[in-house]
Amino acid sequence: MQNFEYLSPTKIIFGQGSELRAGAESARFGKKILLLYGQGNIKVSGLYDKIVDSLLNEGVEFVELGGVQPNPRLSLVEKGIKICREQEIGFILAVGGGSVVDTAKAIGIGVPYQGKVWDFYSDKALPNESLPTGAVITLAAAGSETSKSSVITNEDGWFKRGLNSDITRPKFALLNPELTFTLPSYQTACGSVDIMVHVLERYFTDEKNVDLTDRLCEATLCSVLKYAPLALRCPDDFPARAEIMWAAAIAHSDFLGLGRLGDWASHKIEHELSAIYDVAHGAGLAVIFPAWMKYVCRHNIPRFAQFAQRVFRVEPDLEFPENTALEGIKYLEGFFREMGMPTRLKDLNIGDERLGEMADKCRRTPAGITGNFVELKRNDVLNILQLAL
Amino acid sequence: MQNFEYLSPTKIIFGQGSELRAGAESARFGKKILLLYGQGNIKVSGLYDKIVDSLLNEGVEFVELGGVQPNPRLSLVEKGIKICREQEIGFILAVGGGSVVDTAKAIGIGVPYQGKVWDFYSDKALPNESLPTGAVITLAAAGSETSKSSVITNEDGWFKRGLNSDITRPKFALLNPELTFTLPSYQTACGSVDIMVHVLERYFTDEKNVDLTDRLCEATLCSVLKYAPLALRCPDDFPARAEIMWAAAIAHSDFLGLGRLGDWASHKIEHELSAIYDVAHGAGLAVIFPAWMKYVCRHNIPRFAQFAQRVFRVEPDLEFPENTALEGIKYLEGFFREMGMPTRLKDLNIGDERLGEMADKCRRTPAGITGNFVELKRNDVLNILQLAL
């Protein structure tokens, strides 16, 4: 186990009616706020009205900015920064899923910064201050509500890049599972993949002596395995939605990755996929992650076998542990398929035309490396994309 | 699952050398602090010198107060409050185990309060402010470093009483597993029992749809089951000590109890035991908790069977689930015994002379109830104590 530091400053308010706390919680940070949301579903569902009433009840003035897209765009971030500066906004309330929260975080760090906000996403600068943000979550997936991550797509060149900084962690997250009842099945499935892969990116490590954290990871994975199919079968199954929503919040808060390095190669490869083809992040991960597993599993057979045995209850083959390892990958891929997810690029109607371009663009260290568990070079990334065809 | 709110404001610094951060972390909260510790072991081990150097390096002035005992006493709390007021102390640094941290919390809320600090421990008042506190932990057990609890013994009548308030959560916890290498086996075992029972007090609930949290609890229990015996066999086994130390911090931070009510009857019964006989809290719990389990398990056989199956891998008896439930209790009791813990009052040389007195004093609601999972009356408490003979 590596030494670690951890502080999760996000106040969680979980359960029915938690969205009604938006006004009171926001008022603790600002009397004039930016109300940020996505494609307008919140106006159809009535959530917008509830949030607005809650803000007005607490005397919170707001400026609104809608239109955040999945794979959220830099141009909207820049628009948000401009509004916040002009209107002297003191707090940003994100209402939606990960794209909206990631955009709020980007605006938050962009406002006090003199340079271009993209600097933070292209390793040119580190943020050291931010407008405070908070979130009302309508999609259990990205876990951005508790995470230190934000991922933004720059339309100039279609680069999708992530930033990790504790300064971006939201001040509060209002989590009402009922707000996810109306999600289409595809999005529910995408969200469940995203949650699982957030855990798995941390799970696959060579770090020794991380048993408790391994088990906490496995606990979270087992719950998603159990409840995602229930939520797909019955979208207003409150208990199932609640388990998934809480799993999403835990999965990416770093709690499940303490004392170890995460890998994150699959996320980086997927970012190229969704930057070019604008596929849903979870769907892209359902394709890339199993391909990555197949490519790297011989690097640490015991760990993949542990995953198979503890998460999918595969009976360990003690003579040929590789069989156990491969069985686990098969089960995970099968689970993604059962949820209606693509598991091959062809399921997304993507051929081999731009694999080289994606491998070229895939984010890497100055030494040309992507990933930590296994250090991938450009050709490894290409091989993984080819395995995913 | 019940609606819940959660914010854990404690910054965790985990690993080798974390105690050297005491000065820098304390300096964030005060330039004149109270350095609180126990029976002086920290002077023997050299930890005291390290802490003092670290404080002086950061220009932090300190007043020291040693002598905190296990089952920490109100008189020392009052002494600490007096010192803090007279010396205009701005921060309290606790160096030790749960007793020291609990004392620091009590002093912290006592300093700004006009009445008697015991008011907070006897349901007469709720604290709404506190001097900030921080902790350097030398004993993995109570989890007071991340919890909202403090338990103090009033020598006037030997009442041992707990307080729960978010305001008492420490600002930081410095967790170096090496500091627990020199613990006697008995204390290591007591600590492990305490950790497990903190989880189990939350685990046994009638609340439905708390699957993810159940699994997180089971993960923590499984790790203690695996690593406590290793730490007992080899006291300087860093990985084992690290797993246990992290389990202690997780077990009582409330993270494992979100969305449900804990029971806490066993803790309350044990408090009477240790108030009268001054036994170690963990040893008392090793006696009381199995007796409580036997007394209440028919209230919810499926939950006890789940515990047996998931934590001890007992093969479920699907025809007679009660057998599975009872098997789990037997395994837990056996585990406590294997660690050298008492599991009967007679192992502590305690007879039946004062059982009635303990049942009378045991803390209960105005309606005369102790516990939430099963509501115990005075005679139930007596029956449990008799089962423990």
Side-chain angles (χ1 to χ4, degrees), chain B residues 22 42 51 85 95-97 133 135 141 146 148 161 188 195-196 212 255 257 283 298 310 325 337 381 386 389:
Chain B
I42 65 167
I51 299 288
R85 286 178 181 159
V95 183
T133 64
T146 59
K148 61 179 182 182
R161 291 288 183 263
T188 298
I195 295 166
M196 293 184 79
L212 171 52
F255 182 75
R298 281 165 197 85
R310 294 202 195 158
R337 262 200 306 273
V381 172
Q386 276 165 344
L389 276 171

Side-chain angles (χ1 to χ4, degrees), chain B residues 58 101 135 141 152 196 219 225 233 252 263 285 328 359 361 368 385:
Chain B
E58 300 290 334
V101 185
I152 298 294
M196 293 184 79
L225 282 182
R233 201 170 309 146
H252 205 23
D263 182 73
L285 286 173
K361 281 173 77 180
L385 286 165

